[in-house]
Amino acid sequence: MSLTLRTISREQHLAYIQSLPSASHCQVPAWADVKTEWRSENLGWFDKSGEMVGAGLVLYRQLPKIKRYLAYLPEGPVINWYAPNLDDWLQPMLAHLKQQGAFSVKMGPPVVIRRWDSAAIKAGIQDPEVKRLRDVEATHIEPRAFEVSDRLRKMGWQQGEDGGAGFGDVQPRYVFQVPLANRSLEDVLKGFNQLWRRNIKKADKAGVEVVQGGYEDLAEWQRLYEITAVRDHFRPRPLSYFQRMWTVLNTEDPNRMRLYFARHNGVNLSAATMLVVGGHVWYSYGASDNIGREVRPSNAMQWRMLRDSYAMGATVYDLRGISDSLDETDHLFGLIQFKVGTGGEAVEYVGEWDFPLNKLLHKALDMYMSRR
């Protein structure tokens, strides 16, 4: 199958994404407007008959002082990753990006390699010999994903470091998802552990309300988010980031981004942003106050977001990144513990891959990043 690749309009790109069951929120055209510090381009793959069969959002970041770029396709491109002729898809892309002045290409194939259900993870946590998710036997393995990795290696792609450094945000290799397809809501709730079900009841009894917010509520979101940043020792993004995100994503699709608050006696205790592309829903950012935890606002909010996702016909509710550590002394352990309670599954992707178009500059970038 001979494929051609060319720059496409945002409208063509969006129409293609809308024709699919789902794609990553990092591959919708409006994501380029969220990441303003990068230049962007929309790419389309076409078959012999001229039909569009793939798309990619490329973000370009310029190297300091020289007119050369890192080209990044977060959680993309959106192509047929299992095609036996993967070369025919990726070679034209590399040639095009090189022409655009890229010295290195980074991409994140949206290809799942392993899944672990909650029971397997719990058993792993209880086993003192087990320190990482990969020490636990997977519940489901996707053999085709190993073929994808082999093909990429043969082509000269290099697997990025786990959670490795990169310009901007490296996409998580491990995420936690609650599958919703072909399940009743009752079944989903039954999958929650006892603690989660108890906390949802507790919030309900205490009169916790979960409401949706709008653009005008982003300042209140920011207040809770900054409290969270202090508590969890991370650098918060500015309010302008979330305002821009809301505006550009919801201009592209009015249902792309949502904002939720859990409140008690009129006081907002926790908040979250949600992103929607087709049948895939992501819990994107979360925030909570230091007060009111005893009424379990976060559990109530997640349950509402999950129910809303289900009502929209979502096939998966994605709680985003987790670390693969099952060691209770690890500072990220609480995160996986909270998410495992939903009865979903841990999912491992094949990770991010790099192709050095200019080995010298690629190495220089690596050295620059490792010194930061």
Side-chain angles (χ1 to χ4, degrees), residues 143-296:
R144 294 185 305 171
F146 293 95
E147 290 172 29
V148 172
S149 295
D150 284 347
R151 283 184 190 134
L152 291 174
R153 259 184 224 107
K154 284 195 184 98
M155 280 181 239
W157 289 85
Q158 300 165 1
Q159 191 152 24
E161 293 300 306
D162 252 358
F167 263 113
D169 317 339
V170 172
Q171 300 304 321
R173 175 145 184 197
Y174 294 90
V175 300
F176 202 86
Q177 298 177 345
V178 181
L180 299 177
N182 308 315
R183 294 176 75 190
S184 68
L185 258 184
E186 203 178 20
D187 180 40
V188 174
L189 185 59
K190 271 195 194 128
F192 281 33
N193 70 11
Q194 238 176 329
L195 182 66
W196 260 87
R197 290 205 301 271
R198 212 168 39 235
N199 286 345
I200 290 168
K201 273 207 183 97
K202 204 174 194 173
D204 193 37
K205 234 193 191 122
V208 171
E209 268 188 295
V210 181
V211 295
Q212 267 185 263
Y215 181 85
E216 66 288 352
D217 301 302
L218 286 169
E220 173 63 358
W221 148 264
Q222 192 71 15
R223 178 185 75 82
L224 291 167
Y225 173 63
E226 285 178 12
I227 291 171
T228 310
V230 172
R231 186 178 64 234
D232 294 350
H233 314 290
F234 64 84
R235 217 171 86 220
R237 292 187 180 277
L239 173 59
S240 57
Y241 180 82
F242 294 103
Q243 288 173 327
R244 183 168 70 243
M245 199 170 170
W246 181 275
T247 306
V248 302
L249 293 177
N250 288 333
T251 300
E252 178 175 274
D253 180 328
N255 199 33
R256 188 76 82 221
M257 181 175 174
R258 291 183 173 199
L259 177 61
Y260 285 84
F261 291 98
R263 57 171 65 145
H264 186 240
N265 296 336
V267 180
N268 292 316
L269 298 175
S270 60
T273 63
M274 180 204 256
L275 298 174
V276 183
V277 184
H280 201 126
V281 173
W282 292 265
Y283 155 55
S284 175
Y285 284 87
S288 61
D289 205 330
N290 298 326
I291 57 165
R293 299 187 150 207
E294 67 287 351
V295 296
R296 306 297 178 205

Side-chain angles (χ1 to χ4, degrees), residues 39 222 235 322 333 337 343:
R39 179 168 73 79
Q222 192 71 15
R235 217 171 86 220
I322 50 171
F333 177 74
Q337 207 175 21

Side-chain angles (χ1 to χ4, degrees), residues 46-63:
F46 295 84
D47 65 12
K48 272 204 285 249
S49 70
E51 191 187 338
M52 193 157 131
V53 288
L57 174 69
V58 190
L59 302 173
Y60 293 99
R61 172 69 72 92
Q62 192 173 344
L63 258 194

